[in-house]
């Protein structure tokens, strides 16, 4: 994709025609499935091997199921523009309900069934939903007290449970709705691209969720834009892990299904086995998922005999040099995008010399790692946060391409993404077709030239209609010229590739006036084998601090190697198992707050922070605390896309944070 269209030096856009062959022929998303049914009818569209019972739907089956669901809703009185709340999680029935609501002319209002009850009730009320589709009876029972006497035409369960006979609500099971749909012929509705398709309430990291209004044109544009980047082949397999209701996973699903792929549902519990069993060509995920796979590999390395570890490190070190040289040769080194002829020649020579070593490393080490992903991955797609440099390097070394993208729910969500033929590591790639990105000064809002960091503004066909029933928030987010304020900080290369450096509101200001972006420092620190999760703090302090969730297994293994016996505090989570140092009865006992472990973490943090590009003294982490409860969705400290809710964590550990700076 070229970046030839540039209205000014500060606007970066990609141009080109859409590759989705039927893009001009459809006006609404449900129309796509009629075409896929004709083109891919007997290919498997959706497969849920963990459903009870297992589910496998062809494209013909899927299209028929969507129409029956839509007809059932129409028989219950759903009309054009009605909002229908859909509170459920990943399954083929979720997709049927999602597209069935749209096919009936409704606007679905989506959220996880696991979300907080008060949040779900707020979303239901704020959206003005007249119908409710929920995952099961347990979800309905949890919501029931909050629904009160609000007008509600019906409730549909996506389960096969028998609806309660004594409930005043009109509750139907999935089968009962389908019976209605079979008895009432589906009535096609005429929709246009500017009609509202869905409300996605932002999970965010703080505050009340806002309803992002996405129309059919927004969603169809994402399909067409993705086709400019890659074109999957019919029948190729896609593993689905992220929440289907989330904009990121959702539009990726629409894209791959529009191309005739087979989508297989998995979960955190089953992903390792499913990668090997189903050998997917594609998968979309967030940095935390790629980090967990990386850490699993590192754990296996640590458990090898010293001689084997030395050999693996030899290959990794030389392969790192190899990919660095290769990037220089092809002009894909973010730190040197315009190498001289001499630099290219020297890099080419180094590539030639290192190719045998890299190839041997591939045969002896990297190929086995790829087998853990099924061995047939064409590429992984990463979004929902920046990808740490060491992860980008690692996956390139082992021969698994990651295409990092960028966007928000408000941008449907993809605004930019790396391309297979020009995978510039360290960036989020060029803008999608017809999309403009502008970098402006935070204070003056004046455009900045390439290479300078500032606030990211986005304009294009994927920008939301606005926030539902919130014109004030909408006007703050989108200016009169159509530029959306992302709230993110970044810069662009002269070729138009976007690099994300953090969130404007996450910036930490020290007492010396220095502005510090925590994300790049956190990305550097998790390179350490002993750091599982980290959140940098320090607003209005003399130096930075950090809350660290340690990798207890790696820490226990280190302790054993030093003839120490790790002792966890009495309030440690019961699932933390120590399998290395506990078998050393004569070892010296040490605690997390003891000088041995504190020194270890001090050395690790200092090394990783100093080794990151652009290091400056103010980046140093001066004080830290180790905590054993991981940040998770369940305890409210992670969003659904596994980003840290900084305000929540700060409030939870307020006294600890205050204490670390008081004593430092």
């Amino acid at each position: 994709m070229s970046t030839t269209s540039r209205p000014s030096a500060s606007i970066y856009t990609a141009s080109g025609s859409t590759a989705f062959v039927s893009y001009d022929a459809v006006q609404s998303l449900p129309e796509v499935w009629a075409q896929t049914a004709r083109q891919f009818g007997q290919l498997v569209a959706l497969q849920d091997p963990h459903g009870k019972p297992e589910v496998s739907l062809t494209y013909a089956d899927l299209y028929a199921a969507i129409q029956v669901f839509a007809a059932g809703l129409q028989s219950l009185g759903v009309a054009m523009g009605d909002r229908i709340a859909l509170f459920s999680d990943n399954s083929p029935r979720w997709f049927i309900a999602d597209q069935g609501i749209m096919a009936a002319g409704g606007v679905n209002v989506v959220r996880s069934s696991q979300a907080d009850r008060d949040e779900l009730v707020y979303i239901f009320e704020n959206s003005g939903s007249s119908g409710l589709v929920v995952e099961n009876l347990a979800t309905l029972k949890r919501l029931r007290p909050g629904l009160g006497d609000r007008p509600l035409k019906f409730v549909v369960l996506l389960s096969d449970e028998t609806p309660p006979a004594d409930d005043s609500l009109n509750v139907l099971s999935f089968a009962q709705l389908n019976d209605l749909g079979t008895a009432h012929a589906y009535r096609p509705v005429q929709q246009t691209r500017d009609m509202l398709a869905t409300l996605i309430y932002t999970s965010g990291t703080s505050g009340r969720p806002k309803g992002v209004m996405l129309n059919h044109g927004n969603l169809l544009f994402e399909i067409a834009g993705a086709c400019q980047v890659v074109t999957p082949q019919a029948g190729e397999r896609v593993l689905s892990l992220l929440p289907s209701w989330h904009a990121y996973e959702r539009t990726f699903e629409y894209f791959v299904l529009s191309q005739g792929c087979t989508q297989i549902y998995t979960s955190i519990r089953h992903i390792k086995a499913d990668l090997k069993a189903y050998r997917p060509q594609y998968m979309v995920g967030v940095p935390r998922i790629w980090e967990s796979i990386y850490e699993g590999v590192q754990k296996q390395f640590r458990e090898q005999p010293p001689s084997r570890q030395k050999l693996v490190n030899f290959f990794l070190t030389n392969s790192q040099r190899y990919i660095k040289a290769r990037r220089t040769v092809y002009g894909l080194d973010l730190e040197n995008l315009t190498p001289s002829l001499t630099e290219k020649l020297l890099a080419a020579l180094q590539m030639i010399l290192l190719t045998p070593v890299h190839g041997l490393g591939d045969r002896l080490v990297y190929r086995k790692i790829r087998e853990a992903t099924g061995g047939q991955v064409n590429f992984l797609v990463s979004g929902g946060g920046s990808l740490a440099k060491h992860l980008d390097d690692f996956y390139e070394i082992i021969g698994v391409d990651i295409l990092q993208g960028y966007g928000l729910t408000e941008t449907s969500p993809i605004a930019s993404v790396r391309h297979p033929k020009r995978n510039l590591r360290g960036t989020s790639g060029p803008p999608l077709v017809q999309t403009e990105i502008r970098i402006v000064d935070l204070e003056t809002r004046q455009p900045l030239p390439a290479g300078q960091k500032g606030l990211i503004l986005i304009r294009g066909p994927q920008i939301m209609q606005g926030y539902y029933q919130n014109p004030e928030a909408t006007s703050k987010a989108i200016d009169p010229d159509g530029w959306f304020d992302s709230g993110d900080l970044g810069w662009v290369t002269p070729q138009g590739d976007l690099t994300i450096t953090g969130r404007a509101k996450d910036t930490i200001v020290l007492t010396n006036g220095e502005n510090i972006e925590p994300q790049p420092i956190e990305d550097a620190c998790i390179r350490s084998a002993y750091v599982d999760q980290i959140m940098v703090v320090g607003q209005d302090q003399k130096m930075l601090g950090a809350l660290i969730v340690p990798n207890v297994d790696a820490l226990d293994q280190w302790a054993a190697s030093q003839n120490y016996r790790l002792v966890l505090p009495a309030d440690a989570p019961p699932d933390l198992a120590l399998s290395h140092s506990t078998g050393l009865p004569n070892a010296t006992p040490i605690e997390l707050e003891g000088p041995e472990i504190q020194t270890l973490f001090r050395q690790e943090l200092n090394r990783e922070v100093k080794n990151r590009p652009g290091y400056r003294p103010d980046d140093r982490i001066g004080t830290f605390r180790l905590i054993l409860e991981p940040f998770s969705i369940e305890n409210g400290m992670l969003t659904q896309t596994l980003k840290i809710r900084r305000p929540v964590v700060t409030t939870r550990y307020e006294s600890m944070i205050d204490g670390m700076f008081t004593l430092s």
Side-chain angles (χ1 to χ4, degrees):
M1 185 184 296
S2 65
T3 54
T4 55
S5 175
R6 290 189 185 154
S8 77
S10 58
I11 300 177
Y12 303 87
T13 181
S15 60
S17 60
T18 57
F20 179 47
V21 293
S22 301
Y23 179 74
D24 294 330
V26 296
Q27 289 293 311
S28 68
L29 187 60
E31 294 176 55
V32 172
W33 315 124
Q35 295 189 6
T36 59
R38 288 193 297 270
Q39 189 169 356
F40 312 119
Q42 297 311 305
L43 288 178
V44 175
L46 301 178
Q47 184 175 351
D48 185 2
H50 309 295
K52 297 187 183 303
E54 294 186 20
V55 177
S56 182
L57 296 175
T58 67
Y59 276 90
D61 294 335
L62 178 60
Y63 178 54
I66 290 170
Q67 286 196 308
V68 168
F69 196 94
L73 293 180
Q74 289 175 335
S75 73
L76 293 172
V78 172
M80 188 79 77
D82 284 355
R83 273 86 61 212
I84 308 298
L86 171 55
F87 298 153
S88 185
D89 294 287
N90 300 25
S91 73
R93 288 184 179 182
W94 185 97
F95 193 93
I96 292 168
D98 167 47
Q99 288 307 291
I101 292 169
M102 289 189 193
V107 176
N108 58 44
V109 183
V110 296
R111 195 64 165 163
S112 167
S113 66
Q114 305 302 313
D116 180 78
R117 187 190 74 175
D118 292 341
E119 185 175 347
L120 292 177
V121 170
Y122 169 78
I123 290 171
F124 177 81
E125 185 175 37
N126 181 261
S127 65
S129 292
S130 58
L132 177 61
V133 180
V134 294
E135 181 155 333
N136 49 30
L137 267 177
T139 306
L140 177 59
K141 289 177 180 177
R142 195 160 60 88
L143 287 174
R144 190 67 181 89
L147 296 176
D149 298 325
R150 293 181 177 87
L152 187 58
K153 292 180 181 178
F154 59 84
V155 176
V156 175
L157 307 175
L158 292 184
S159 65
D160 295 319
E161 298 165 294
T162 303
D166 58 345
D167 200 310
S168 59
L169 299 176
N170 180 22
V171 183
L172 298 90
S173 69
F174 185 76
Q176 288 172 332
L177 181 75
N178 282 340
D179 288 343
L180 284 178
T182 302
H184 296 78
Y186 169 64
R187 301 185 304 277
V189 295
Q190 297 299 315
Q191 300 182 82
T192 61
R193 294 187 185 183
D194 60 0
M195 286 184 175
L196 189 61
T198 186
L199 290 177
I200 305 178
Y201 279 74
T202 57
S203 57
T205 54
S206 64
R208 248 191 178 171
K210 298 187 291 288
V212 175
M213 297 189 291
L214 299 182
N215 59 29
H216 288 278
N218 293 142
L219 301 175
L220 289 171
F221 172 79
E222 290 286 293
I223 295 175
C227 284
Q228 288 288 320
V229 180
V230 292
T231 306
Q233 300 301 303
E236 288 188 315
R237 297 173 300 282
V238 182
L239 209 54
S240 173
L241 173 66
L242 296 181
S244 289
W245 58 268
H246 195 277
Y248 175 32
E249 172 75 20
R250 192 175 180 186
T251 52
F252 185 78
E253 291 183 11
Y254 295 155
F255 163 57
V256 294
L257 289 170
S258 76
Q259 305 302 302
C261 293
T262 296
Q263 177 168 288
I264 302 159
Y265 292 91
T266 188
S267 64
I268 291 293
R269 177 183 176 186
H270 296 107
I271 183 170
K272 288 184 179 179
D274 286 347
L275 282 167
K276 293 181 179 180
Y278 297 102
R279 309 176 74 187
Q281 277 83 27
Y282 309 99
M283 181 177 167
V284 65
V286 294
R288 183 65 178 159
I289 293 173
W290 317 132
E291 175 69 34
S292 66
I293 294 174
Y294 167 83
E295 173 52 34
V297 172
Q298 295 300 313
K299 182 176 184 293
Q300 290 183 24
F301 287 166
R302 291 194 297 268
E303 293 173 348
Q304 297 296 315
S307 60
R308 176 72 175 174
Q309 290 187 47
K310 186 176 181 179
L311 180 64
V312 169
N313 288 329
F314 168 79
F315 285 131
L316 289 173
T317 298
N318 283 283
S319 290
Q320 180 76 45
R321 295 170 59 205
Y322 171 82
I323 66 168
K324 175 75 172 176
R326 186 172 62 185
R327 291 175 185 176
T328 300
V329 169
Y330 292 104
L332 293 176
D333 184 351
L334 187 59
E335 298 173 9
N336 185 14
L337 287 171
T338 55
S340 65
L341 179 59
T342 300
E343 288 173 321
K344 282 192 173 184
L345 289 174
L346 289 174
L349 178 61
Q350 190 172 38
M351 265 188 71
I352 293 171
L353 294 174
L354 290 171
T355 294
V357 178
H358 179 68
L360 185 59
D362 188 78
R363 287 194 296 274
L364 297 180
V365 181
Y366 313 148
R367 186 176 299 174
K368 294 178 181 178
I369 300 173
R370 288 198 301 274
E371 288 173 359
T373 67
Q376 294 192 10
V377 170
N378 289 340
F379 61 79
L380 305 173
V381 180
S382 183
S386 61
L387 189 65
K389 181 180 181 298
H390 71 282
L391 295 179
D392 241 343
D393 292 348
F394 173 77
Y395 282 96
E396 183 177 2
I397 285 171
I398 68 170
V400 175
D401 275 344
I402 292 186
L403 303 184
Q404 170 73 15
Y406 167 72
L408 305 92
T409 303
E410 291 88 341
T411 62
S412 303
I414 307 170
S416 72
V417 66
R418 297 188 326 213
H419 294 207
K421 293 183 179 179
R422 190 174 181 277
N423 195 348
L424 181 58
R425 271 75 177 188
T427 77
S428 293
L432 284 187
V433 58
Q434 301 178 44
T435 301
E436 298 169 286
I437 289 178
R438 171 183 281 174
I439 307 297
V440 301
D441 183 271
L442 263 173
E443 301 297 330
T444 67
R445 295 299 175 105
Q446 292 301 304
L448 297 172
Q452 287 196 22
K453 184 179 66 180
L455 181 67
I456 301 169
L457 305 183
I458 306 167
R459 184 167 65 180
Q462 70 271 67
I463 302 301
M464 66 173 179
Q465 289 182 312
Y467 294 114
Y468 189 68
Q469 293 188 336
N470 199 336
E472 182 179 353
T474 300
S475 63
K476 287 181 179 179
I478 306 174
D479 72 15
D481 294 324
W483 288 100
F484 170 70
D485 182 342
S486 71
D488 288 319
L489 301 174
W491 59 279
V492 293
T493 67
Q495 296 79 18
D497 299 281
L498 177 65
T499 295
I500 310 300
T501 59
R503 290 286 293 171
K505 65 182 180 181
D506 291 340
T507 300
I508 296 170
V509 183
L510 301 178
T511 53
N512 64 2
E514 287 294 328
N515 289 261
I516 309 291
E517 292 165 40
Q519 187 68 58
I521 297 174
E522 292 164 353
D523 288 344
C525 290
I526 60 173
R527 280 184 60 93
S528 168
Y530 308 110
V531 177
D532 189 40
Q533 294 173 299
I534 180 171
M535 190 182 91
V536 173
V537 297
Q539 179 65 32
D540 298 324
Q541 302 293 338
K542 292 186 293 184
M543 60 184 172
L544 296 177
L547 296 174
I548 300 171
V549 179
N551 183 324
V552 174
D553 181 78
L555 195 57
D556 185 36
Q557 192 169 9
W558 169 84
S561 72
Q562 305 297 311
N563 201 33
Y564 293 134
R565 178 168 53 84
L566 184 61
V567 179
L568 298 179
D571 60 350
D575 58 344
L576 287 181
L578 301 179
S579 58
H580 300 285
S581 65
T582 51
L584 303 174
N586 298 322
T588 304
I590 58 171
E591 299 179 347
L592 290 180
E593 300 303 321
E596 301 86 358
I597 291 180
Q598 294 293 302
T599 298
L600 172 67
F601 274 89
R602 169 71 55 221
Q603 293 171 344
E604 292 289 307
L605 296 176
N606 286 344
R607 183 188 68 249
E608 299 300 349
V609 171
K610 287 181 179 179
N611 284 344
R612 83 176 190 87
Y615 164 76
R616 53 183 179 169
D618 284 312
D619 293 344
R620 187 181 70 88
I621 295 175
T623 181
F624 61 88
R625 292 290 184 273
L626 302 179
I627 55 179
L628 291 178
E629 182 184 9
F631 308 143
S632 68
I633 297 172
E634 290 72 24
N635 61 25
M637 291 190 276
L638 289 184
T639 68
Q640 289 283 341
T641 50
L642 307 182
K643 289 181 286 190
I644 296 175
R645 294 182 186 266
R646 295 181 188 273
V648 174
V649 176
T650 300
T651 300
R652 173 78 172 269
Y653 293 104
E654 184 176 8
S655 60
M656 181 181 289
I657 294 170
D658 291 343
M660 79 167 77
F661 289 109
T662 301
L663 298 174
S664 59

